[in-house]
Amino acid sequence: MVFQDATAFIFNNKGMSSSMSTKNATTSGWKAGDRSPKIWKGKLTFIMAAAGSAVGLGNLWKFPYIAGENGGGAFVLVYLAFILCFGIPLLAAEIGIGRSTRKNAYSAFDSLAEKTGANKHWKKVGGLAISTSYLILSFYTVVAGWCLYYFYISATGRFNDPAQSFDKSFTSGIFEALLASPISLIIFSTIFLGMTYAIVTSGVVKGIEKTINWLMPSMMLMLTVLIGYSAAVGDFDAAVEFLFMPDFSKLTLDSIIIALGHSFFTLSLASAAMITYGSYMPTDNSIPKTAFAVAGVDILVALTAGLAIFPLVFKYGLEPGAGPGLMFISLPLIFNDMPYGQLFGSAFFFMMFIAALTSAISLMEPTVAWLEQRFNWTRNKSAALTTLSLWVVSLGTVLSLNEWDSPIFFGKTLFDALDYLTANVFMTAGALATAIFCGFCLKQEQLEVMFGKGSLAIPSFKFTMRYLAPLFVATLTLASI
Ligand code: PFF
């Protein structure tokens, strides 16, 4: 099957129709005679899938540590402004590109460029987006492996040993020992990658919609309990001040670039995931409303994660700019003396692992879908080759945390370079190109297919895509050069 997709399988229990009506086909850009695309049914299905992609390690692991590294409040404010001004319109654009073409990212740009008479090289923006998702997954899988390792050690009582004195040197020691052990890193990231492969290749986890249904509420519940507990034992006032009182003197050009890149990363933009998922979105779902809902959930999870972590950071004298280990070093500090800490700690890391898994599926899907369609390979072959090659690339990431722990790119190790480059260079460039494409190449007709005839969203969308986003990103890029 040419247009075969794991996520389509995953979501296809009862919900998904295997064919579209002629009416829908016309309004969605499909001509009669095209191969029937898979469409998710149900109003919430798409929102759940997109939220599952957006909410992940970016919210729980990355946001707190980059907020810490970049001075807190002012960075958070700029990040929120970017989500509102650029993230939400771009999210709508990508979902719209997917839904109006019902194709993978590369072919979606190709077909829209052809329809609008634009330059055929626009399809390379789709190619860049697919490569970005591939590169992100090569380090995402390693961090997800950390969550699995932490689940394992929490469940086996490592954080609840009464004989152990619990302080930051103990929890930092555990984290450093993990990074120093290539074998542990390889084992846990391989399990994670294997699970992602299993889901993407066979769609066996038909209940991913159900998973996301329980994941989101339980994640919010756990984060709320964590906030409560960490507020009770930690320094909550200092955390609120750090996260929400902007001190603009701490804002540098680099932190603005990082905030911009993270607003794309956290919404899964410029990496083909939202275009691919958009291609399964039912025609009667509202794209602007969906984009706001997904961004709202995403922001909420990131801010609650920050509010759970920083009271502990200040109470226990950790460095807010401690880097990627921040969450793994700070949270275990309270699992020790919390009632049911062993159960709660392991449940928390398990939930984090599942949140990473729902994002990883959306990171693997664009490459697999492209391989299937480009080379006419089976889904299994495409997924297996993607996974195997990713596994090899991820070994580089693993080794850059220990054996090859030396700077290879502007003073950054391979791990840090991939993390920085994907979000702040590739995604920013991809988002800029997407904005220009939507602002200048798409015609009123395509925008109406995306947003509906006479939609009030169209003029502001066009203005943002045509002027606001390109001018802002170009200014920022020039200033940084
Ligand atoms: N948005 C995800 C997170 O915050 O963890 C990461 C991500 C998923 C980025 C899917 C890009 C993507 F295509």
Side-chain angles (χ1 to χ4, degrees), residues 150 169-181 329 401:
Y150 268 70
S169 59
F170 175 64
T171 56
S172 322
I174 291 181
F175 185 67
E176 278 154 24
L178 170 65
L179 296 198
S181 161
I329 295 169
L401 294 168

Side-chain angles (χ1 to χ4, degrees), residues 29-58:
W30 270 73
K31 294 192 272 339
D34 278 351
R35 201 174 278 266
S36 300
K38 305 289 184 194
I39 312 292
W40 298 336
K41 259 195 189 164
K43 272 221 162 349
L44 280 182
T45 307
F46 179 84
I47 297 186
M48 286 294 180
S53 167
V55 174
L57 298 176

Side-chain angles (χ1 to χ4, degrees), residues 137-149 177-195 353 387-388 390-404 415:
L137 192 51
S138 74
F139 71 85
Y140 206 84
T141 188
V142 176
V143 181
W146 300 354
C147 303
L148 192 57
Y149 174 79
L178 170 65
L179 296 198
S181 161
I183 297 295
S184 306
L185 293 172
I186 291 171
I187 291 174
F188 288 99
S189 62
T190 304
I191 297 175
F192 178 80
L193 196 57
M195 285 176 75
F353 175 76
T387 306
L388 271 179
L390 270 167
W391 186 78
V392 174
V393 181
S394 76
L395 287 184
T397 316
V398 163
L399 292 174
S400 79
L401 294 168
N402 34 68
E403 308 292 327
W404 300 344
F415 178 92

Side-chain angles (χ1 to χ4, degrees), residues 52-60 129 132-133 136 140 262 264-274 298 355-356 358-360 362-363 366 427:
S53 167
V55 174
L57 298 176
N59 310 63
L60 301 164
T132 304
S133 62
I136 292 174
Y140 206 84
H262 190 64
F264 301 142
F265 183 89
T266 193
L267 292 179
S268 306
L269 296 173
S271 45
M274 289 300 178
D298 194 67
T358 56
S359 299
S362 74
L363 280 165
M427 282 184 154

Side-chain angles (χ1 to χ4, degrees), residues 358-387:
T358 56
S359 299
I361 294 165
S362 74
L363 280 165
M364 189 183 276
E365 183 58 30
T367 308
V368 173
W370 175 75
L371 284 176
E372 275 184 293
Q373 293 167 34
R374 171 71 179 79
F375 300 105
N376 221 0
W377 289 349
T378 62
R379 173 153 205 92
N380 208 351
K381 181 174 172 185
S382 312
L385 282 175
T386 306
T387 306

